[in-house]
Amino acid sequence: MSLADMILYHCIHTLLDFPRSPTTDSHLNYKKYGVRIFRRPLGNPPPLTKQRQSQQEDAPVTVDTRVLIDKVLSRYSGEFTVFRKLLQNSDDAGCDAAEIRFETAGFLGSNSTAATNVGPAMLPDLRTTNVQNCLAMDIRKPREAVSIRRSASGNPDPQKVGAFGVGSHSLFSVTESPYVSSGGRTDSIRLRSYTIPDKQMKFSWKDENQLCYRTCDLPRTDLWTMFKMPLREAAPMPPISQFMQFLSSSITFMIHLKNVTVFSDHHRVGQIHKSLGQSQVIPIPTELKRQSSVGNMTVDSVQQYGKSSQHLPVTIEASVMPPQCDSMRMHGTKVELVVFAAEVDVTVSEKLSKELKRCTKKYPPSRLKYSLIYMKYDQSCINEQRHAPEFPSAFRGLRADLDGAIHTRVFIGHATAQTTDIVGHMASCFIPTVERECIDLVNVTIWNRESLYVGGFLCRVVYELELSDVQRLWKEAAADTPQSPKLHDQYFLHLLKFFTVYHSTPSVEVTEWLVHSFYNCSIRPLKVLSSVGIREAPGVRAFDRDLAEFLKSFPILSEDVVQTNFIEKLPDQHKICTITVSHVLEYLRLHPLGAEELVACLR
């Protein structure tokens, strides 16, 4: 090695911390332009000097709060997201009543108390009057808290819908500085790990990217917890008809919240009230398998609300002030819903419990409820009060549409973007994506699939229960004169249309798992109504106009039933076949024909 090579070698070693020995086998020799370079292969790294160790100390990752909230936490694709989050927060807090107030600049600049006491006044055009401020108020039970200071802390109670702890940030989609106050409870606002009585919190931005809050004491003036949102840009309040539709669907599956009132300044422009009625336990057929496929969930009982001589339905009443109304008189309507609810015992493995704890930061509940809204035949025949096109019914979309024109939804507290595969709305303790628009079938697949098994099981229980009513009507029709109306055909056709499978969106897996559970939760084939009463589907044959004239005692479907999508989509083990020659010959050997039947057969 020349003197120049040795100088260059030591210079490279000093800069790159390479070993000094050029003869070790682990070194690779490269000759380029007369220069030898030695490189340490992959493997054990060279020992760190104190200087380099000090340079590699852990440093915290900083988060631009403003960008995070603006780009992620306050951006939701659903409609009325702010109110959806606040109402769900109220229900989780055990509130039974809430108010939503839209306030104009003129109302805020005047004495609101004096304006309220003036009495009725002409309601301004809600479609063009700009709103400057929005309030959401409720009365909370003791020990319930508002958690907005700590992002992603979530609600640790497994019975509560809230889980991720970021929903309150949706307020920043409409306001720059939300304000939260509670004046009547001794522990209403949770600030760190303890509670402070009678506080108000005002949020503001510091240095454009740091969200800060300030608290101060409040006098005990009332019991209300209030979220105040000065709007970033003044705009008219949402169309009252659409907003009432949102409220009527939102309150349907809530546990505690039963009354929501909407104000425009001091005018009451809308109100939704729900009454649960009474329930009765219905029998579960013994051939149905109550335990889910993996064994995490077991159906304990099924209850029915409504459409019984002794039990009242779930009733939702809506009072709405139409736009540009001169009389200041609210228009009232109501809808009665039949709701079936399955009470489910939950037993999960330790591994699954830890996985759910990791994903949701709370353990799974020991019991849950799975609900289904069903529309009976007599309800489908009732025409709702006609509404003008510009002012549709407050219950539009809540009641089932047998033609599938209005999509029914999966509810996780509120409605999600996930549709069911049948005509009825469903609700349960699903684990959603963070946006709460879909069921999470990627990270917590087992839990949600087990829940969908319960959904299919509940649908099968309702189907069997309604089929027993069809059987009763068929027997009554068979015992009466031929002129008696055949209501059993219409009831059964309605039942099939209700449970006709449509493709669910955005995830088709919801359809697949519900359908699989519906048909496989029983050890016996599906039963249908035939010309001779209720029979198992494989023993019934499709309608044939010519053969039906003389095969009077042969189990055949009616012509209307054969044309339904339900029959076309039956799985192979439940398929209904056509009548073959062997079926006709076997029938003729066992049943002698009358004169009219013989003529029809010879034709």
Side-chain angles (χ1 to χ4, degrees):
M1 180 182 295
S2 65
L3 179 60
D5 288 342
M6 293 180 63
I7 295 174
L8 181 60
Y9 167 76
H10 286 285
C11 290
I12 294 175
H13 171 266
T14 303
L15 292 175
L16 302 181
D17 199 21
F18 279 98
R20 295 181 180 275
S21 175
T23 59
T24 308
D25 293 338
S26 62
H27 297 160
L28 298 177
N29 297 331
Y30 293 87
K31 180 179 290 187
K32 190 173 184 180
Y33 303 109
V35 178
R36 297 178 182 176
I37 300 177
F38 301 90
R39 185 181 65 182
R40 175 177 290 275
L42 295 177
N44 296 328
L48 297 177
T49 63
K50 291 184 179 181
Q51 180 180 1
R52 293 183 62 191
Q53 287 179 347
S54 63
Q55 295 174 352
Q56 295 187 5
E57 291 180 354
D58 294 338
V61 176
T62 59
V63 177
D64 191 321
T65 307
R66 181 61 181 260
V67 173
L68 178 64
I69 290 178
D70 287 346
K71 286 187 175 181
V72 181
L73 299 182
S74 66
R75 297 182 64 183
Y76 291 84
S77 59
E79 195 175 24
F80 306 124
T81 298
V82 173
F83 304 105
R84 183 177 65 176
K85 298 295 184 182
L86 293 177
L87 291 176
Q88 187 61 63
N89 188 287
S90 298
D91 188 61
D92 283 347
C95 306
D96 60 356
E99 291 184 2
I100 298 175
R101 294 177 174 268
F102 297 95
E103 299 174 338
T104 61
F107 179 80
L108 293 172
S110 63
N111 187 332
S112 59
T113 303
T116 304
N117 296 331
V118 168
M122 182 64 68
L123 182 69
D125 189 350
L126 303 180
R127 295 169 296 185
T128 58
T129 303
N130 284 339
V131 173
Q132 197 76 30
N133 185 67
C134 182
L135 290 176
M137 307 166 61
D138 60 47
I139 299 178
R140 310 211 159 197
K141 292 183 177 181
R143 307 302 304 173
E144 294 295 342
V146 178
S147 179
I148 191 175
R149 191 193 74 87
R150 296 183 60 188
S151 298
S153 58
N155 193 324
D157 190 343
Q159 298 297 335
K160 302 297 175 64
V161 174
F164 301 110
V166 295
S168 297
H169 291 86
S170 63
L171 273 61
F172 291 97
S173 63
V174 298
T175 184
E176 287 289 311
S177 54
Y179 168 94
V180 186
S181 68
S182 181
R185 294 293 181 185
T186 59
D187 45 9
S188 294
I189 299 181
R190 188 181 302 276
L191 297 176
R192 299 192 179 92
S193 60
Y194 55 89
T195 55
I196 300 179
D198 310 323
K199 285 289 187 180
Q200 63 178 356
M201 287 190 296
K202 183 176 182 180
F203 293 83
S204 59
W205 294 99
K206 181 180 179 181
D207 299 331
E208 293 297 326
N209 63 355
Q210 181 62 48
L211 182 62
C212 301
Y213 71 95
R214 179 177 297 178
T215 65
C216 64
D217 295 331
L218 282 176
R220 295 191 178 184
T221 56
D222 54 43
L223 301 178
W224 290 95
T225 295
M226 179 177 64
F227 291 81
K228 181 179 179 181
M229 295 166 283
L231 299 185
R232 185 179 292 110
E233 295 182 3
M237 66 175 289
I240 187 62
S241 58
Q242 297 180 18
F243 197 61
M244 297 306 290
Q245 291 172 11
F246 157 74
L247 293 178
S248 64
S249 63
S250 297
I251 203 173
T252 301
F253 291 109
M254 288 194 172
I255 300 174
H256 302 287
L257 195 61
K258 297 179 176 60
N259 192 80
V260 180
T261 308
V262 182
F263 289 87
S264 174
D265 290 342
H266 62 278
H267 300 287
R268 184 164 62 95
V269 296
Q271 185 172 21
I272 294 288
H273 177 74
K274 179 182 70 173
S275 57
L276 287 179
Q278 296 176 335
S279 65
Q280 62 175 340
V281 178
I282 63 174
I284 299 177
T286 56
E287 64 267 19
L288 299 188
K289 297 178 285 187
R290 301 188 181 208
Q291 192 174 59
S292 59
S293 54
V294 180
N296 293 319
M297 299 182 184
T298 304
V299 178
D300 180 55
S301 63
V302 175
Q303 297 178 339
Q304 176 184 354
Y305 293 85
K307 285 302 168 186
S308 173
S309 57
Q310 293 95 13
H311 300 88
L312 298 175
V314 175
T315 304
I316 300 180
E317 300 175 88
S319 300
V320 187
M321 183 75 71
Q324 296 180 320
C325 181
D326 297 333
S327 64
M328 296 299 294
R329 182 174 60 87
M330 301 185 72
H331 293 193
T333 56
K334 72 175 183 178
V335 64
E336 294 181 348
L337 303 174
V338 177
V339 178
F340 291 90
E343 298 289 342
V344 184
D345 292 327
V346 180
T347 305
V348 299
S349 64
E350 183 179 357
K351 179 181 178 181
L352 179 58
S353 180
K354 290 181 178 180
E355 180 63 17
L356 294 175
K357 173 68 173 177
R358 183 191 67 82
C359 294
T360 64
K361 300 309 179 218
K362 61 182 178 181
Y363 291 105
S366 58
R367 287 183 66 85
L368 60 83
K369 179 183 290 187
Y370 198 114
S371 302
L372 167 69
I373 293 181
Y374 180 73
M375 183 176 65
K376 289 184 175 284
Y377 173 74
D378 53 353
Q379 287 181 299
S380 65
C381 297
I382 299 176
N383 294 323
E384 286 192 44
Q385 179 182 356
R386 292 185 179 274
H387 294 262
E390 65 273 10
F391 192 70
S393 168
F395 307 117
R396 183 182 180 183
L398 183 59
R399 301 185 66 172
D401 179 12
L402 295 180
D403 296 327
I406 299 177
H407 295 296
T408 53
R409 306 287 177 176
V410 173
F411 282 66
I412 310 176
H414 286 271
T416 66
Q418 179 63 55
T419 63
T420 67
D421 64 336
I422 60 172
V423 177
H425 296 290
M426 294 180 173
S428 188
C429 188
F430 292 102
I431 299 178
T433 57
V434 175
E435 195 183 13
R436 290 195 173 277
E437 290 297 324
C438 303
I439 298 176
D440 190 347
L441 293 173
V442 177
N443 301 295
V444 285
T445 305
I446 295 179
W447 176 268
N448 284 330
R449 285 183 176 177
E450 292 283 273
S451 299
L452 290 173
Y453 176 89
V454 176
F457 178 93
L458 179 59
C459 290
R460 186 64 178 267
V461 171
V462 175
Y463 179 88
E464 298 289 343
L465 178 68
E466 294 299 304
L467 199 61
S468 64
D469 289 341
V470 174
Q471 173 75 347
R472 175 181 54 80
L473 292 173
W474 182 86
K475 289 181 179 180
E476 292 175 357
D480 294 338
T481 60
Q483 290 78 19
S484 61
K486 294 184 177 181
L487 291 178
H488 55 275
D489 286 337
Q490 299 302 320
Y491 266 72
F492 182 62
L493 189 61
H494 169 85
L495 181 62
L496 294 186
K497 287 183 178 180
F498 186 91
F499 288 108
T500 296
V501 175
Y502 299 92
H503 288 295
S504 59
T505 58
S507 174
V508 296
E509 289 186 68
V510 174
T511 296
E512 297 171 357
W513 284 97
L514 283 173
V515 170
H516 181 272
S517 171
F518 180 84
Y519 288 110
N520 293 278
C521 67
S522 177
I523 60 176
R524 304 188 59 135
L526 190 73
K527 296 178 182 179
V528 296
L529 175 65
S530 70
S531 56
V532 295
I534 302 298
R535 295 289 186 273
E536 292 183 352
V540 180
R541 295 296 173 256
F543 178 80
D544 188 301
R545 184 182 301 274
D546 296 329
L547 299 180
E549 293 184 6
F550 65 90
L551 299 180
K552 299 294 185 181
S553 300
F554 197 76
I556 303 175
L557 291 178
S558 68
E559 185 174 7
D560 293 335
V561 170
V562 170
Q563 296 175 356
T564 62
N565 292 330
F566 185 92
I567 299 300
E568 296 178 358
K569 296 179 180 180
L570 285 173
D572 292 339
Q573 64 270 30
H574 303 274
K575 277 291 184 184
I576 295 178
C577 304
T578 58
I579 302 175
T580 62
V581 175
S582 60
H583 294 144
V584 176
L585 295 177
E586 182 180 358
Y587 178 84
L588 295 177
R589 282 195 294 267
L590 300 176
H591 300 83
L593 301 180
E596 296 181 359
E597 296 172 343
L598 181 60
V599 172
C601 179
L602 294 176
R603 286 178 182 173

